[in-house]
Structure formats: structure tokens, C-alpha cells
Amino acid sequence: MLTISMEQLMAMGIKTHVDVMDELYTLAYWMTGSEMSADELVRFTYLRADHNTSTTELFKIFRTCYLNRSGADIAFGFIDPLRQRKGSPGRSLRHRFADMKLSVLLSEICGLKHQVISEIIGMPVETLNSRLSWGRTLLVKALLLVPPVERRVQLTGGILS
């Protein structure tokens, strides 16, 4: 029986579910804006995964859990003016903004390649590239609207001295 150590897995670039947990928590915090909601979202993600779930599938489960939760009404820190019932056209628009934000975060925080992100989100790479461009622009604009002290707290989790 072949046994591979954790160091060998990391050297090969293979991440375990435990390794991905920190990235998922960071994504969840940026997506929800709350530690409690982020913790809940990560727990729901891991409840729906098993030990055979690939890293890509884990991110897909995370996306599904986020889109299914009631807090997905906020995109990029702005309250959605199209807040309507499930199945309405506004829901589709909210999902697009959530996918745009998630795409940017998967690229910037997790360092995933565009091909992997397109597989997670379920859209062609060309569309993803456009959404990443728009998403980065919107994210910067949203962060510029936050007062400087709050921005430092939001980015670091504490106040920089």
C-alpha cells in the first residue's frame, strides 16, 4: 500500500479539504461580510461534501450554498434594488453579481486559474474574463466608498497602527 505524506501532497500541489478550509473561510467572509455568516457558510459547505470530493467540487458546493442562502441578496456591499421572490428575474441578476464577486475572489485570494474558475462557476472562459474585469472594477469602487479606518479593519480584520 502506497502512503503519501501531507508534505508530499503539498509539494505536488494537491490540497486537502483541511488546506482549502482557510481559503473557503476567507471567501465566505468576503462574500457575506460577517464572521458568523462565514462560519455558517463554510460549515454548510463541508456538510455537503465527503472525503472523495475534489477541491473543484468543494468550491462548487460552496457556490451553491452561498447562492441558496438568504444573505445572497447583497452584491459588492450594495443592497440589491431588485430584491424579489425566488424565481424572479432579479434573482438571476443577483446570482450574476454573486458569481462575478466569487470569480474575482477565487482569482485573487485562492490564486485559481481562469479555466478552473470557469468550471466552478459554470461559464465559458471568455465570459469569465469579462466578468473578472468588471468585477475587479466594481470591487475597487466599493472599497473606495468605505471610510479609510473601516477599510483597514475590513481588509486586515483589525486596525493597522
Side-chain angles (χ1 to χ4, degrees):
M1 177 178 217
L2 178 65
T3 306
I4 300 176
S5 70
M6 292 301 291
E7 291 80 20
Q8 290 170 325
L9 284 173
M10 293 302 286
M12 293 187 307
I14 299 172
K15 294 182 179 181
T16 65
H17 288 204
V18 175
D19 299 327
V20 176
M21 186 180 289
D22 284 338
E23 291 177 356
L24 279 178
Y25 184 82
T26 303
L27 286 174
Y29 183 75
W30 273 91
M31 294 295 288
T32 63
S34 155
E35 288 182 27
M36 189 167 54
S37 295
D39 186 53
E40 179 180 291
L41 185 55
V42 171
R43 265 189 285 119
F44 284 149
T45 300
Y46 277 92
L47 283 174
R48 287 167 177 73
D50 62 19
H51 65 283
N52 293 325
T53 305
S54 69
T55 303
T56 304
E57 285 297 318
L58 195 61
F59 283 117
K60 285 181 182 180
I61 293 169
F62 172 83
R63 175 183 174 266
T64 301
C65 289
Y66 177 75
L67 292 177
N68 288 339
R69 61 185 290 281
S70 61
D73 293 336
I74 298 177
F76 291 107
F78 298 110
I79 297 176
D80 186 358
L82 298 172
R83 193 178 271 170
Q84 297 173 6
R85 296 180 198 193
K86 290 184 178 184
S88 68
R91 180 182 174 134
S92 172
L93 188 57
R94 282 192 301 276
H95 285 195
R96 281 191 201 162
F97 277 110
D99 281 344
M100 187 184 307
K101 185 175 182 180
L102 181 59
S103 299
V104 170
L105 296 175
L106 286 169
S107 174
E108 300 301 322
I109 292 174
C110 301
L112 297 179
K113 300 203 180 302
H114 292 190
Q115 182 63 41
V116 175
I117 297 170
S118 74
E119 184 181 334
I120 291 168
I121 303 295
M123 70 176 60
V125 176
E126 296 79 21
T127 306
L128 175 73
N129 289 336
S130 172
R131 297 242 176 110
L132 281 169
S133 176
W134 276 103
R136 287 181 178 121
T137 302
L138 290 173
L139 189 59
V140 166
K141 286 181 180 179
L143 286 174
L144 290 176
L145 291 174
V146 177
V149 172
E150 291 179 25
R151 189 177 322 135
R152 286 187 291 187
V153 171
Q154 191 175 23
L155 291 176
T156 64
I159 296 179
L160 296 175
S161 50

